[in-house]
Amino acid sequence: MLKLKGINKSFNVGTVNEKHVLKDLELHLAPGDFVTVIGGNGAGKSTMLNAVAGTWRVDSGTILLDGVDVTNTSEYRRAKYLGRVFQDPRIGTATNMQIDENLALAARRGKPRTLRWGISSKEQEAYREQLKALELGLEDRMTSKVGLLSGGQRQALTLLMATLQRPKLLLLDEHTAALDPKTAAKVLELTDRLIAENQLTALMVTHNMRDAIAHGNRLIMMHDGRIILDISGEEKKKLTVEALLERFSESSGSEFSNDRALLG
Amino acid sequence: MDTLLNYFSSLPGAVAQGIIAGIMAIGVYITYRVLDVADLTVDGSYCTGAAVCAAMLINGHSVWVAMLVAMLAGMVAGLITGFFHTFMGIPAILSGILTQLMLWSINLKIMGIALGKVSAAVIAVSSRNYKLLASMLKMGDTLLVLAIFSVILIAVLYWFFGTEYGATLRATGDNPQMSRALGINTDIRKIMGLVLSNGIVALAGSLLAQYQGNAEINMGRGAIVTGLAAVIIGEALLGKLTKNNFALKLFAVIVGGIVYFIIYSTIIYLGVESNYLKMLSALVLACFLAVPYWKTRFAKHAKRSNVTKGEP
């Protein structure tokens, strides 16, 4: 479903802050893979997701989405294939637009926008049902501005928006990091459910090792712009945080450095 | 007593000018509030609308054709600003200033060509000689025409911003990052917004030329300040009523324009030297613009929840 071949990306080239973030990165996701991504500070987790999403062009390498070469495709064109949820709950939704308007925008991802009315009453009914399934009471607030929602509600809505139009790949960039533990757990539960229901392929960056182990069918660990661990199947099911930390220092020759990951 | 009578007799004129300014301010609203871009092209395109309309009229075209071409000229101005901003990566404010400066030369040239000269700063188009939609000499008809015009414009815009395409313009102004993630080409949307906005501004300029009976090179000077003032006065007066309704918000902009010109007339009546009016406008607008900032500054100490609520 996704193939990254020899991806390189540097930032601030030619300055003292030059940083080679992704180094000959290779990754291959099979359809239906739900991969959790973990790694230390500056390992390149979010950068990898942004490379896939097309936030900027990579320096070298090839990105294939379901066989289509999107390496030089602009971000908004690539959106056709991708569902995305961001770390900051404010980024995934339009604050001053209504809940149903946000959903209607998301439902038209990758489709031409016409001069037909922006939201049909048939759609509205469908959204009501889908919001009801979130169990946040949003189905009664469809015409409320999204800015009035809490961070957790906004992330849940963003998740729904990302999957409304089935994406070939769902990109989750630490989407529970800004939430309190209880809300984070709920949003993760919803993530699992939406991925299972729609049989999605997903890439989920997380700072929480326990979450990375508990969710998905495959776990990759990044260090210094590369993937140093790739664990799936039975092996992943048996994984513990301690074992993971041990395998990290074996593979990287250094201590795991992500304050939030250790605290989480 | 005599001056008081003069004051009251000046009010219909203030209302007419206010509606025209309100229509112009609806253009400003589209960039400033919907797209979240401060577009200074307005100072040039307001005059372009007037100049093109007058130029077409004295060359024998009907007022409808003149206004249509004026609107198209304004749209081209918006297109240029949009091109500067998106394709050339120039900040929006500077892009607008560059187009505005270009338009100064172009406006002089348009009027010059129409009069068969190298350049010209004024074209007279009195309603005595031309069949016009608006004129200060026929106040009753003019007010009616302007009111109908505003209603039609608001209805069309309400429809447009409710469509699938219009919604993507609102989304672009609200959250460009999300918009791109949802497959919206935000550069094209910004350009479209600037085109639409300046088309409306030029249309208002064409009405102003008819109303005052001439197009004149300084007409657009300070238009952006008047436009923003109308937007902000409208919000201050009717903000509570217009909460969720786009059409009412646009209506409030027209009301803002009218109130602005009534205040303007009042200040003149009170004997303030008219030379100071632009300065006063700017200062009053500066204070109004500071209000949301002051609110969040003081709210920060009182309640944190207001900070997220008040964000754009």
Side-chain angles (χ1 to χ4, degrees), chain A residues 37-46 87 173-174 177 205-210 212 220-223 241 244-245 248 252 254-264:
Chain A
V37 185
I38 196 147
N41 300 330
K45 308 179 295 282
S46 293
Q87 179 173 350
D173 190 0
E174 299 210 37
V205 173
T206 173
H207 62 274
N208 186 312
M209 289 204 169
R210 257 180 276 278
I220 60 176
M221 182 178 263
M222 291 185 73
H223 179 67
V241 172
L244 197 55
L245 282 171
F248 173 80
S252 70
S254 62
E255 287 290 310
F256 190 80
S257 64
N258 186 328
D259 310 340
R260 282 183 304 163
L262 295 177
L263 290 170

Side-chain angles (χ1 to χ4, degrees), chain A residues 75-77 79-80 82 84 86 90-98 101-102 105-106 108-110 112-119 143-145 147-148 154 161, chain B residues 33 158-172 174-186 188-189 243-245 249 308-309 311-312:
Chain A
E75 186 181 13
Y76 80 90
R77 281 189 205 277
K80 187 157 102 189
L82 301 170
R84 290 165 72 190
F86 308 87
R90 286 170 301 185
I91 296 179
T93 43
T95 311
N96 294 312
M97 295 176 76
Q98 299 172 6
E101 288 178 322
N102 272 271
L105 279 171
R108 288 161 179 74
R109 177 167 51 77
R113 318 278 175 153
T114 68
L115 288 178
R116 272 196 295 266
W117 196 245
I119 182 164
T143 56
S144 295
K145 297 272 160 77
L148 299 170
R154 282 178 86 156
M161 285 165 64
Chain B
R33 278 288 182 245
Y158 179 79
W159 164 76
F160 175 72
F161 282 102
T163 62
E164 289 178 347
Y165 195 90
T168 62
L169 257 81
R170 288 189 288 140
T172 298
D174 196 317
N175 188 341
Q177 205 173 346
M178 174 207 74
S179 300
R180 282 190 292 273
L182 295 182
I184 296 164
N185 185 342
T186 50
I188 293 290
R189 296 315 190 276
K243 243 179 182 171
N244 251 335
N245 187 312
K249 281 181 181 174
T308 45
K309 237 178 162 180
E311 81 199 6

Side-chain angles (χ1 to χ4, degrees), chain A residues 101-257:
Chain A
E101 288 178 322
N102 272 271
L103 287 163
L105 279 171
R108 288 161 179 74
R109 177 167 51 77
K111 291 183 178 168
R113 318 278 175 153
T114 68
L115 288 178
R116 272 196 295 266
W117 196 245
I119 182 164
S120 69
S121 49
K122 208 170 109 196
E123 263 181 280
Q124 242 152 351
E125 277 317 299
Y127 296 155
R128 196 181 300 281
E129 289 308 309
Q130 279 158 316
L131 287 169
K132 205 180 263 174
L134 300 182
E135 293 170 6
L136 294 168
L138 296 180
E139 66 274 15
D140 301 321
R141 300 172 62 187
M142 296 228 308
T143 56
S144 295
K145 297 272 160 77
V146 167
L148 299 170
L149 305 186
S150 69
Q153 288 171 325
R154 282 178 86 156
Q155 287 304 66
L157 180 62
T158 311
L159 261 172
L160 180 59
M161 285 165 64
T163 54
L164 213 47
Q165 162 90 254
R166 190 173 182 275
K168 290 192 188 295
L169 176 64
L170 180 63
L171 298 175
L172 307 165
D173 190 0
E174 299 210 37
H175 68 306
T176 59
L179 308 176
D180 66 80
K182 216 173 136 190
T183 315
K186 267 186 118 172
V187 169
L188 273 175
E189 196 190 303
L190 175 68
T191 309
D192 276 344
R193 201 177 80 212
L194 287 172
I195 289 174
E197 273 172 12
N198 300 296
Q199 297 170 317
L200 301 175
T201 311
L203 206 47
M204 177 173 97
V205 173
T206 173
H207 62 274
N208 186 312
M209 289 204 169
R210 257 180 276 278
D211 289 343
I213 292 167
H215 298 269
N217 66 327
R218 186 173 159 195
L219 179 150
I220 60 176
M221 182 178 263
M222 291 185 73
H223 179 67
D224 197 22
R226 290 187 184 86
I227 290 165
I228 56 164
L229 279 178
D230 190 338
I231 304 165
S232 55
E234 282 306 305
E235 201 189 349
K236 176 170 178 293
K237 284 180 190 157
K238 288 186 220 139
L239 210 57
T240 62
V241 172
E242 290 72 25
L244 197 55
L245 282 171
E246 203 169 300
R247 291 194 60 178
F248 173 80
S249 45
E250 270 171 35
S251 310
S252 70
S254 62
E255 287 290 310
F256 190 80
S257 64

Side-chain angles (χ1 to χ4, degrees), chain A residues 62-91:
Chain A
T62 316
I63 303 167
L64 296 174
L65 266 169
D66 200 18
V68 181
D69 186 342
V70 296
T71 316
N72 291 311
T73 305
S74 61
E75 186 181 13
Y76 80 90
R77 281 189 205 277
R78 249 185 252 193
K80 187 157 102 189
Y81 311 108
L82 301 170
R84 290 165 72 190
V85 185
F86 308 87
Q87 179 173 350
D88 185 340
R90 286 170 301 185
I91 296 179

